[in-house]
Amino acid sequence: HNQPVLPQDRFVWLARLVNYEKPDYLIDGGDFDDFHSLCSHEKNESEKGRVKPALLHDLECSAKARSIIDDVLTCNTIKHVTLGNHEDRLWLYENMNREVAGLATSHYMDILDKHKWLCTKYGAYLTLEGVDFTHCPFNGMGRPVGGDNVAKQAAEKSIKDVVFGHTHQMTLVTAHKFGDNRSVTAYNLGCYMPDGYIPSYAKNTRKEFWYGAHVLMISGGRVKSVKSYQIGELEHRYGQSVRLVFNG
């Protein structure tokens, strides 16, 4: 949920974590960019809508965040993004305003290409080492899975271990299948917003958000372990340190 009004130092911490862990892949699970300018929940003529950023400002903010990551990153990792519903606002807007079709989406794809992010469209699956990654699983009606038990539904319906975000929560659910030692685990791994930040549309939610990043070890087509770093820990480890000198 990168946006112009939020600090971007958390992307420095992320890149430093990647340098430390040296993973084979870096996965952006979607909704990296908020695109508040195109938020349909806040109409332009409303009080909140009047202070929304311009789309160009949102795009510049996206480019800056990915440049920050690149400037700090020294680890040679393959970068993937599975686009989320917030990035999909670009495509929805162009679909409803055909006179600008391709204008914003091509600009955005140029940003991803420039910073070498391989892209999986919203709703599709990226399969790496036998594990599925997506922003949010879709049901048989072609709609994102919702409700209070998204991870449970994902585990029951998926045919491979699946990793996603979308709900901002962290939940792990394993569904056992017929046969010996057959199961699928769904990993709903939270968000990477500033610690404690809650978007305006979620102010009254009953859900507890989880903020941070994860390192997954995959072997034999399964997620074998998850090492989780809360964003406060990342700030402590990789943020600007303060040096104190005491003269007794």
Side-chain angles (χ1 to χ4, degrees):
H1 290 271
N2 173 49
Q3 51 181 289
V5 297
L6 295 180
Q8 294 185 317
D9 47 358
R10 66 191 187 279
F11 302 121
V12 173
W13 313 335
L14 176 65
R16 289 174 177 168
L17 173 64
V18 175
N19 291 338
Y20 173 76
E21 290 286 351
K22 296 179 173 58
D24 297 297
Y25 304 98
L26 172 59
I27 312 298
D28 162 8
D31 285 0
F32 181 101
D33 292 302
D34 193 83
F35 286 115
H36 190 202
S37 56
L38 302 181
C39 177
S40 60
H41 303 294
E42 297 175 355
K43 303 300 181 183
N44 290 346
E45 61 272 16
S46 68
E47 286 298 323
K48 290 183 178 180
R50 291 191 181 98
V51 297
K52 290 195 298 186
L55 175 56
L56 182 60
H57 198 182
D58 272 341
L59 289 165
E60 291 170 345
C61 183
S62 173
K64 181 180 177 182
R66 296 188 186 277
S67 291
I68 289 172
I69 293 173
D70 281 354
D71 288 345
V72 178
L73 205 60
T74 58
C75 173
N76 186 23
T77 184
I78 301 171
K79 296 181 288 188
H80 285 275
V81 52
T82 60
L83 296 178
N85 52 294
H86 279 256
E87 287 95 359
D88 196 51
R89 288 174 171 176
L90 291 172
W91 281 264
L92 293 174
Y93 178 79
E94 290 184 356
N95 185 54
M96 298 300 295
N97 298 272
R98 299 304 296 165
E99 64 273 18
V100 295
L103 191 62
T105 51
S106 62
H107 189 157
Y108 187 60
M109 294 305 295
D110 285 345
I111 292 172
L112 296 179
D113 289 342
K114 176 182 177 181
H115 296 285
K116 296 181 171 58
W117 287 88
L118 302 174
C119 184
T120 300
K121 68 179 182 179
Y122 175 51
Y125 283 83
L126 166 68
T127 303
L128 292 174
E129 310 297 335
V131 173
D132 283 338
F133 294 84
T134 190
H135 177 67
C136 180
F138 275 44
N139 61 25
M141 300 298 291
R143 297 182 180 278
V145 176
D148 292 332
N149 298 300
V150 176
K152 182 175 184 293
Q153 296 179 67
E156 290 175 346
K157 299 295 184 181
S158 296
I159 61 174
K160 301 175 182 177
D161 282 1
V162 59
V163 182
F164 63 98
H166 186 59
T167 70
H168 308 155
Q169 297 174 287
M170 186 166 73
T171 311
L172 277 62
V173 176
T174 297
H176 296 280
K177 311 294 182 178
F178 291 144
D180 294 335
N181 297 317
R182 294 180 182 178
S183 63
V184 165
T185 303
Y187 297 82
N188 187 5
L189 294 184
C191 62
Y192 198 70
M193 295 184 288
D195 197 15
Y197 174 75
I198 299 177
S200 58
Y201 61 81
K203 290 296 184 183
N204 297 319
T205 183
R206 294 180 289 109
K207 300 175 180 179
E208 184 175 351
F209 290 1
W210 192 93
Y211 306 86
H214 310 267
V215 179
L216 280 63
M217 185 183 78
I218 299 174
S219 177
R222 300 295 304 271
V223 177
K224 297 297 185 180
S225 69
V226 179
K227 183 163 48 175
S228 301
Y229 293 88
Q230 289 188 325
I231 201 161
E233 178 185 358
L234 295 178
E235 180 179 11
H236 178 73
R237 290 180 59 169
Y238 300 116
Q240 293 294 330
S241 60
V242 177
R243 300 181 64 188
L244 299 178
V245 177
F246 176 72
N247 292 318

